């Protein structure tokens, strides 16, 4: 869930470039007739998203009654994604915009595809609109599928428009069992309105991020627990906390709301972790 720079390429020029090498004259002419409508729709998309009204854009199965959603899907696959397509440079540019190659939707896995924020099959006007194409990992793209929303509370976070990583909102806590289990959740920071809070929670649910983060944290902790036990046996609780705080500080410098930050905060703040779990390992 990371902010990305919004593409500023001219939407009409992008579309015309994508269709530039189509050989079927009749098909190309139909597409050219849609160019102005697509450009106007992209401007409307931008305006509505800036004003939390994107849900008012209605789905359709064609453009102007002359180009079908299936044709726009094929245009995307062949002319923008296809390695020899004239629009491939835009695909590569979007993929490269993800910081460190990490999916901005989950903040963890590697970017390998583009996700249509509004489905290309239900919103064909935006099939090759760059502001509707989000660099993503395959898992997030598959999990979201053809997801639609009819109000802004149901919308997921849009990396080109939503800035949420300037404050801490990701929380983790320990499930007090023999094995350390991390549970992740969204907390509402000061300054957030109810709409943003509901959207972040919805995003967290749609992409099943608690499961992803919990599994990763469990694996990470398994690799570090022996070291923490030794520090505790040698120097006590305070030294363990100091070590965890130093690790947290390093990860917060990169991303305040990574699952690693949530994991370290949970360990630092859990009295049970020190008074019960680590206490078992005193010699």
């Amino acid at each position: 869930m990371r902010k990305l720079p919004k593409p500023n390429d001219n939407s009409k020029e992008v579309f015309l470039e994508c269709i530039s090498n189509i050989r079927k004259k009749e098909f190309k002419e139909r597409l050219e007739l849609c160019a102005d409508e697509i450009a106007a729709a992209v401007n409307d998309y931008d305006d509505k998203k800036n004003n939390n009204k994107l849900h008012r854009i209605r789905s359709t199965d064609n453009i102007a009654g002359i180009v079908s959603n299936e044709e726009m899907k094929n245009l995307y696959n062949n002319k923008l994604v296809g390695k020899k397509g004239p629009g491939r440079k835009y695909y590569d540019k979007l993929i490269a915009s993800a910081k460190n190659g990490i999916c901005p939707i989950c903040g963890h896995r590697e970017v390998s595809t583009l996700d249509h924020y509004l489905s290309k099959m239900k919103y064909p006007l935006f099939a090759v609109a760059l502001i509707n194409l989000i660099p993503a990992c395959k898992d997030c793209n598959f999990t979201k599928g053809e997801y639609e929303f009819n109000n802004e509370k149901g919308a997921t976070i849009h990396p080109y428009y939503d800035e949420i990583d300037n404050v801490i909102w990701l929380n983790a806590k320990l499930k007090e069992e023999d094995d350390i289990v991390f549970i992740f959740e969204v907390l509402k920071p000061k300054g957030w309105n109810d709409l943003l809070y509901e959207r972040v929670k919805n995003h967290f649910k749609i992409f099943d991020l608690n499961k992803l983060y919990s599994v990763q944290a469990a694996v990470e902790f398994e690799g570090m627990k022996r070291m923490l036990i030794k520090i505790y046996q040698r120097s006590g609780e305070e030294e363990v906390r100091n070590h965890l705080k130093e690790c947290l500080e390093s990860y917060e410098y990169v991303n305040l709301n990574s699952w690693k930050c949530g994991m370290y905060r949970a360990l630092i703040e859990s009295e049970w972790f020190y008074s019960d779990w680590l206490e078992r390992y005193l010699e």
Side-chain angles (χ1 to χ4, degrees):
M1 301 167 76
R2 295 181 175 182
K3 186 80 165 62
L4 295 179
K6 184 171 68 173
N8 58 8
D9 305 84
N10 182 283
S11 57
K12 183 175 180 178
E13 290 178 1
V14 171
F15 175 70
L16 291 176
E17 190 161 0
C18 285
I19 70 174
S20 62
N21 69 345
I22 292 177
R23 294 181 179 180
K24 293 182 179 180
K25 182 179 178 182
E26 182 273 337
F27 180 40
K28 187 174 183 179
E29 287 177 347
R30 284 193 287 118
L31 288 168
E32 288 173 337
L33 289 173
C34 297
D36 288 334
E37 183 172 344
I38 287 173
V42 171
N43 289 336
D44 183 55
Y45 179 113
D46 188 48
D47 180 67
K48 281 186 167 56
K49 187 67 194 74
N50 282 320
N51 291 284
N52 294 317
K53 296 179 180 179
L54 198 61
H55 65 281
R56 294 187 179 180
I57 295 178
R58 299 305 176 193
S59 60
T60 180
D61 59 3
N62 67 81
I63 300 176
I66 58 174
V67 175
S68 71
N69 55 3
E70 188 66 32
E71 289 174 320
M72 290 301 294
K73 173 186 174 182
N74 291 334
L75 179 70
Y76 169 78
N77 289 333
N78 297 327
K79 303 302 182 180
L80 194 138
V81 177
K83 291 186 178 181
K84 295 184 179 180
R88 175 68 188 205
K89 65 181 181 181
Y90 298 111
Y91 177 92
D92 292 338
K93 179 181 177 181
L94 292 179
I95 292 290
S97 70
K99 187 175 181 180
N100 299 324
I102 299 300
C103 174
I105 296 174
C106 66
H108 175 70
R109 294 177 290 240
E110 182 181 355
V111 163
S112 56
T113 188
L114 296 181
D115 172 63
H116 285 77
Y117 189 81
L118 296 182
S119 163
K120 59 183 175 293
M121 289 302 292
K122 296 180 180 180
Y123 302 87
L125 283 162
F126 311 111
V128 295
L130 302 191
I131 61 172
N132 190 51
L133 301 176
I134 312 299
C137 66
K138 288 184 178 179
D139 285 352
C140 282
N141 196 13
F142 177 79
T143 298
K144 179 168 172 271
E146 300 293 322
Y147 177 74
E148 285 190 279
F149 53 96
N150 55 21
N151 59 64
E152 285 303 307
K153 286 186 178 181
T156 56
I157 295 304
H158 198 311
Y160 298 146
Y161 293 89
D162 297 312
E163 174 61 79
I164 63 171
D165 275 336
N166 53 353
V167 293
I168 295 173
W169 54 262
L170 181 64
N171 185 60
K173 53 189 177 183
L174 299 184
K175 191 174 181 180
E176 298 182 1
E177 298 179 346
D178 289 341
D179 292 328
I180 296 291
V181 177
F182 295 90
I183 307 298
F184 289 82
E185 61 184 355
V186 176
L187 293 184
K188 183 180 180 182
K190 292 181 179 179
W192 275 19
N193 57 41
D194 291 340
L195 176 58
L196 181 58
Y197 176 50
E198 292 299 325
R199 289 184 58 227
V200 175
K201 288 197 300 179
N202 183 61
H203 184 106
F204 208 75
K205 179 180 178 181
I206 293 296
F207 292 102
D208 203 8
L209 296 185
N210 172 54
K211 181 179 179 181
L212 171 64
Y213 295 171
S214 293
V215 169
Q216 297 305 315
V219 173
E220 182 81 2
F221 183 76
E222 190 67 24
M224 62 189 283
K225 70 178 184 181
R226 193 66 213 162
M227 175 186 62
L228 296 179
I229 290 169
K230 287 186 175 181
I231 294 174
Y232 185 71
Q233 291 172 337
R234 182 177 63 247
S235 305
E237 174 181 333
E238 192 62 28
E239 194 59 32
V240 174
R241 284 187 191 272
N242 289 337
H243 173 77
L244 293 172
K245 287 177 180 178
E246 288 179 359
C247 292
L248 173 61
E249 183 179 356
S250 293
Y251 286 116
E252 283 187 333
Y253 183 78
V254 178
N255 179 9
L256 284 175
N257 295 292
S258 69
W259 62 263
K260 287 189 177 182
C261 287
M263 180 194 75
Y264 279 108
R265 291 186 200 111
L267 291 171
I268 291 168
E269 296 168 6
S270 173
E271 292 301 329
W272 170 83
F273 175 63
Y274 302 96
S275 63
D276 189 311
W277 196 87
L278 280 174
E279 188 73 18
R280 304 170 195 174
Y281 296 94
L282 279 180
E283 295 178 345

